[in-house]
């Protein structure tokens, strides 16, 4: 029997464009993901720079599309798939069914049209095709005398809603059966919000991702400490820390970790204040950081006192209208000044403490009482989320609390808000975005900006980079994988050497500081990938290693081969 067969329409020789077709028999197939190519993957091999066609394979046998998760490199070609004539159902997890229309609306705007009526018609079509599957439940796809096919989704631990796919194929007339598993993107253990993936019981054929097949990640505690330390160091340069982040998954994890840092620092500050003589603690010492963006002028009008979660307001002087999530009261206002001649902040102020008295009857903290004299005042540091798409996903994440892990739910039960804490400021409109870019460029006030565009090839992060890459006061912090051929990879590689990067056809010298934290990857490392295989009761006899650069694929295959030899098992490895 010649079936099943697997065809790879993406992510076979790279890390983007995931798309795999499982041919179950001559007339029936299943498509697993339909993602967008990015970076070098987007060019046709030996095609003199030509772009890969969105859909270059026949659709006549494809009965359904199953989506492992909603990252653009796994779903970005769905608009083209529908335009090419695909009319089957789109199967995904319950959480992905809520997130996928948001992703595809954005993809449709970028690829086809911004006409609102067309967009609404398109989203209606997508939503009518969606079939939301609970985890761990079998769904019958085909039931005939020749073929019985059913699929089951299991938690993959990559982002909310992510799944790996188990497919059982039974051929009654031939008396044969096969179980095929597509890993999708597997997550690292101990990820915020997510329960870790558990290996399947068995697989005959495994299609396995290998993004980090050649390396190991730092543990979660180390990465949070490194995040805190890297930001502390960066802010000593008296500038802004820019973090390019994917709108879904990475952004929410960053907010979760930043809230933890702020909470820990706030508890520490409260404990210190309780130990100090009351006359040495200024009345407003707990609110000296958010105003760092423009606090050198004393006649700036305060924001209205009703500054609470979700209040839409206009920031004085800048005219910026934004959704500010839970900033305290007027003492912590983000008053954006357009004064380009503002002098640099003194050392004490950029370390999170004002260098002058906050009121006539207030004195600064005594020098010998502060354990963090040269560090940032985290409880008051503005965290700016500048990505409308990321804001929509963050709101959706908050609505998906039933899919959070126990730790995250416990935080909410204790009264904390991991995704809507007081220092979080979200920027909505493009005009407000441009004002914020201009203000931070001109004043270099301490702030953390999380902007959409994880590989710096698009999104609002590009405008920040154009404005700030040439200024050594600013810092770029990478917390995610940068595919070859993307601006992010160029900045990460050549920035520390004083190189340059091309953005929108223009060359920009890199003088800003560049840092990377690998422990924030949402992908399993080599140990996680190997554990996914060896944790099965019945190891697969065929493994197709995909979704990785060549060295990562080779390193993972070599390690898997060694484990099979140690256990006296046979395996066919395909790269």
């Amino acid at each position: 029997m010649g079936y099943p067969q697997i065809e790879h329409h993406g992510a076979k020789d790279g890390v983007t464009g995931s798309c795999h077709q499982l041919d179950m028999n001559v007339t029936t197939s299943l498509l697993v993901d339909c993602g967008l190519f990015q970076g070098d993957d987007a060019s046709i091999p030996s095609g003199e720079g030509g772009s890969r066609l969105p859909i270059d394979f026949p659709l006549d046998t494809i009965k359904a599309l199953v989506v492992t998760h909603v990252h653009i490199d796994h779903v970005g070609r769905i608009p083209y798939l529908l335009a090419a004539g695909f009319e089957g159902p789109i199967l995904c997890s319950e959480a992905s069914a809520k997130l996928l229309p948001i992703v595809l609306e954005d993809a449709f705007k970028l690829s086809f049209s911004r006409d609102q009526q067309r967009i609404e018609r398109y989203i209606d079509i997508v939503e009518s095709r969606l079939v939301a599957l609970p985890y761990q439940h079998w769904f019958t796809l085909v039931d005939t005398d020749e073929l019985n096919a059913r699929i089951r989704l299991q938690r993959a631990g990559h982002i909310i809603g992510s799944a790996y796919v188990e497919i059982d194929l039974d051929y009654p007339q031939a008396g044969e059966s096969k179980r095929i598993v597509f890993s999708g993107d597997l997550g690292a253990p101990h990820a915020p919000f997510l329960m870790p993936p558990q290996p399947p019981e068995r697989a005959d054929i495994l299609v396995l991702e290998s993004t980090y097949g050649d390396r190991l990640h730092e543990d979660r505690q180390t990465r949070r400490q490194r995040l805190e330390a890297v930001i502390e160091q960066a802010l000593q340069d008296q500038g802004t820390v820019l973090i390019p982040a994917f709108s879904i998954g990475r952004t929410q994890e960053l907010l979760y970790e930043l809230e933890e840092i702020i909470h820990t620092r706030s508890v520490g500050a409260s404990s210190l204040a309780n130990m100090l003589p009351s006359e040495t603690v200024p009345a407003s010492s707990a609110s000296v950081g958010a105003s760092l963006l423009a606090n050198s002028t004393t006649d700036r009008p305060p924001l209205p006192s009703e500054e609470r979660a979700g209040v839409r307001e206009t920031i004085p002087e800048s005219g910026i209208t934004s959704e500010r999530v839970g900033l305290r009261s007027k003492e912590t206002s983000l008053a954006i000044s357009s004064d380009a001649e503002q002098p640099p902040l003194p050392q004490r102020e950029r370390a999170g403490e004002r260098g002058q008295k906050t009121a006539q009857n207030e004195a600064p903290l005594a020098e010998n009482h502060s354990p963090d004299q040269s560090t940032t005042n985290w409880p008051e540091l503005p965290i700016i989320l500048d990505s409308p798409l990321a804001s929509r996903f963050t709101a959706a994440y908050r609505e998906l609390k039933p899919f959070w892990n126990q730790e995250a739910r416990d935080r909410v039960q204790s009264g904390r808000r991991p995704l809507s804490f007081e220092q979080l400021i979200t920027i909505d409109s493009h005009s407000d975005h441009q004002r914020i870019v201009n203000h931070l460029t001109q004043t270099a006030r301490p702030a953390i900006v999380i902007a959409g565009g994880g590989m710096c090839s698009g999104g609002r992060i590009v405008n920040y980079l154009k404005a700030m890459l040439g200024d050594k006061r600013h810092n770029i912090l990478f917390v995610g994988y940068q595919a070859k051929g993307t601006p992010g990879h160029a900045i990460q590689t050549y920035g520390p050497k004083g190189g340059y990067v091309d953005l929108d056809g223009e060359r920009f010298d890199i003088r800003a500081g560049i840092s990377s934290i690998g422990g924030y990857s949402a992908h399993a490392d080599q140990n996680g990938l190997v554990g996914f295989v060896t944790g099965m009761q019945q190891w697969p006899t065929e493994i197709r290693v995909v979704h990785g650069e060549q060295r990562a694929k080779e390193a993972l295959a070599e390690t898997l081969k060694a484990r099979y030899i140690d256990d006296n098992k046979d395996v066919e490895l395909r790269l």
Side-chain angles (χ1 to χ4, degrees):
M1 186 182 70
Y3 292 94
Q5 298 176 357
I6 300 175
E7 303 174 69
H8 302 287
H9 304 304
K12 184 178 185 296
D13 302 312
V15 293
T16 65
S18 270
C19 188
H20 313 282
Q21 185 172 347
L22 175 64
D23 295 314
M24 297 179 276
N25 62 25
V26 69
T27 61
T28 309
S29 67
L30 175 71
L31 201 63
V32 180
D33 289 336
C34 194
L36 198 66
F37 292 102
Q38 296 172 294
D40 286 353
D41 295 345
S43 297
I44 301 173
S46 303
E48 299 182 356
S51 296
R52 287 185 172 179
L53 295 174
I55 301 297
D56 57 358
F57 50 90
L59 308 179
D60 54 308
T61 68
I62 299 174
K63 303 305 180 185
L65 165 69
V66 59
V67 168
T68 62
H69 66 286
V70 301
H71 273 153
I72 199 70
D73 63 323
H74 288 256
V75 301
R77 278 190 285 169
I78 290 179
Y80 294 96
L81 185 69
L82 298 182
F86 174 70
E87 296 182 348
I90 301 173
L91 314 177
C92 62
S93 72
E94 293 171 304
S96 289
K98 183 176 183 64
L99 300 171
L100 187 59
I102 302 175
V103 177
L104 294 184
E105 177 182 339
D106 189 64
F108 188 85
K109 288 178 181 177
L110 293 174
S111 303
F112 287 91
S113 171
R114 290 185 173 272
D115 179 82
Q116 191 58 36
Q117 288 187 338
R118 288 192 66 190
I119 293 170
E120 290 175 1
R121 287 197 301 270
Y122 166 70
I123 294 302
D124 286 343
I125 292 172
V126 169
E127 291 179 338
S128 70
R129 303 277 186 86
L130 286 176
V131 178
L133 303 180
Y135 289 121
Q136 301 180 337
H137 288 271
W138 286 105
F139 174 82
T140 299
L141 185 64
V142 179
D143 188 7
T144 68
D145 293 338
E146 295 181 1
L147 171 67
N148 180 273
R150 57 181 190 155
I151 74 170
R152 179 168 66 178
L153 302 183
Q154 303 277 27
R155 296 178 186 274
H158 180 60
I159 62 172
I160 277 189
S162 61
Y164 66 83
V165 186
E166 295 179 286
I167 305 165
D168 264 2
L169 301 180
D170 184 44
Y171 300 89
Q173 295 177 351
E176 296 184 14
S177 63
K178 291 283 186 181
R179 176 170 290 187
I180 301 95
V181 174
F182 289 83
S183 73
D185 285 356
L186 296 173
H190 312 300
F193 304 108
L194 305 176
M195 301 175 202
Q198 299 296 323
E201 295 175 3
R202 64 183 182 87
D204 296 301
I205 302 171
L206 171 64
V207 180
L208 179 64
E209 70 121 322
S210 60
T211 312
Y212 284 100
D214 60 343
R215 68 197 79 178
L216 303 177
H217 294 326
E218 300 166 88
D219 62 45
R220 181 178 172 187
Q221 184 64 23
T222 299
R223 78 179 192 181
R224 189 190 68 77
Q225 292 171 347
R226 283 199 65 202
L227 177 68
E228 185 173 356
V230 167
I231 291 175
E232 288 276 10
Q233 183 63 46
L235 289 173
Q236 298 305 307
D237 293 333
Q238 294 184 275
T240 297
V241 178
L242 301 178
I243 306 179
F246 293 107
S247 297
I248 181 167
R250 192 63 46 78
T251 290
Q252 291 75 35
E253 289 193 10
L254 278 169
L255 295 178
Y256 186 92
E257 299 273 311
L258 289 169
E259 189 274 343
E260 173 65 14
I261 296 171
I262 292 168
H263 174 77
T264 302
R265 289 298 190 97
S266 298
V267 171
S270 298
S271 299
L272 175 65
N274 291 334
M275 294 170 60
L276 297 178
S278 59
E279 64 271 14
T280 67
V281 183
S284 61
S285 64
S287 57
V288 299
S291 58
L292 284 181
L293 283 172
N295 65 0
S296 63
T297 56
T298 58
D299 58 349
R300 181 171 288 108
L303 289 173
S305 59
E306 293 87 13
E307 293 177 12
R308 56 192 181 273
V311 175
R312 187 172 180 85
E313 60 198 26
T314 300
I315 298 175
E317 295 197 14
S318 71
I320 293 178
T321 300
S322 64
E323 296 289 345
R324 302 184 60 194
V325 184
L327 275 179
R328 291 176 183 168
S329 61
K330 55 191 175 185
E331 290 177 318
T332 58
S333 64
L334 176 64
I336 309 297
S337 170
S338 59
D339 183 4
E341 302 301 320
Q342 251 176 325
L345 293 172
Q347 171 68 27
R348 279 174 56 83
E349 190 165 353
R350 69 179 170 89
E353 301 178 18
R354 287 178 179 166
Q356 57 187 2
K357 294 181 181 180
T358 55
Q360 290 184 350
N361 61 343
E362 296 172 356
L365 282 170
E367 296 284 339
N368 61 347
H369 284 301
S370 176
D372 295 315
Q373 202 63 246
S374 63
T375 57
T376 303
N377 189 322
W378 281 89
E380 303 304 330
L381 182 69
I383 313 297
I384 300 170
L385 177 58
D386 193 352
S387 168
L389 190 59
S391 297
R392 291 182 66 186
F393 284 129
T394 302
Y397 258 61
R398 291 197 294 266
E399 295 174 6
L400 292 169
K401 288 187 183 71
F403 295 93
W404 293 14
N405 63 19
Q406 191 60 48
E407 178 193 84
R409 294 199 298 268
D410 286 346
R411 286 194 186 184
V412 174
Q413 288 295 321
S414 70
R416 290 166 61 182
R417 295 177 295 172
L419 295 180
S420 57
F421 50 92
E422 293 182 355
Q423 292 77 12
L424 179 61
I425 302 161
T426 66
I427 303 299
D428 187 8
S429 74
H430 181 76
S431 59
D432 292 349
H433 155 72
Q434 197 59 59
R435 291 189 185 100
I436 264 290
V437 172
N438 293 340
H439 173 76
L440 293 177
T441 301
Q442 294 166 355
T443 63
R445 298 305 185 185
I448 298 173
V449 175
I450 302 171
M455 296 185 188
C456 306
S457 54
R460 291 186 173 181
I461 190 63
V462 175
N463 288 333
Y464 285 99
L465 294 172
K466 289 178 179 179
M468 298 183 180
L469 272 177
D471 189 336
K472 64 182 180 180
R473 294 175 297 177
H474 302 300
N475 284 266
I476 319 300
L477 173 58
F478 290 103
V479 293
Y481 182 84
Q482 303 300 309
K484 285 185 177 180
T486 61
H489 185 269
I491 295 169
Q492 190 179 51
T493 304
Y494 303 112
K497 304 173 185 177
Y500 63 86
V501 64
D502 290 326
L503 298 170
D504 292 339
E506 186 176 354
R507 179 167 294 184
F508 293 86
D509 292 331
I510 305 171
R511 299 188 182 93
I514 308 297
S515 302
S516 300
I517 302 180
Y520 272 85
S521 172
H523 288 267
D525 62 6
Q526 186 184 88
N527 283 345
L529 295 169
V530 172
F532 185 76
V533 176
T534 59
M536 299 184 197
Q537 296 177 18
Q538 177 185 316
W539 294 10
T541 54
E542 179 183 336
I543 301 177
R544 295 185 174 221
V545 182
V546 298
H547 202 288
E549 295 178 358
Q550 191 62 28
R551 69 169 182 266
K553 293 164 64 177
E554 291 174 353
L556 179 60
E558 183 179 342
T559 303
L560 285 169
K561 185 68 174 178
R563 290 298 302 273
Y564 270 77
I565 291 173
D566 288 345
D567 274 61
N568 296 314
K569 291 182 171 68
D570 294 323
V571 65
E572 179 184 0
L573 286 159
R574 297 190 182 187
L575 304 186

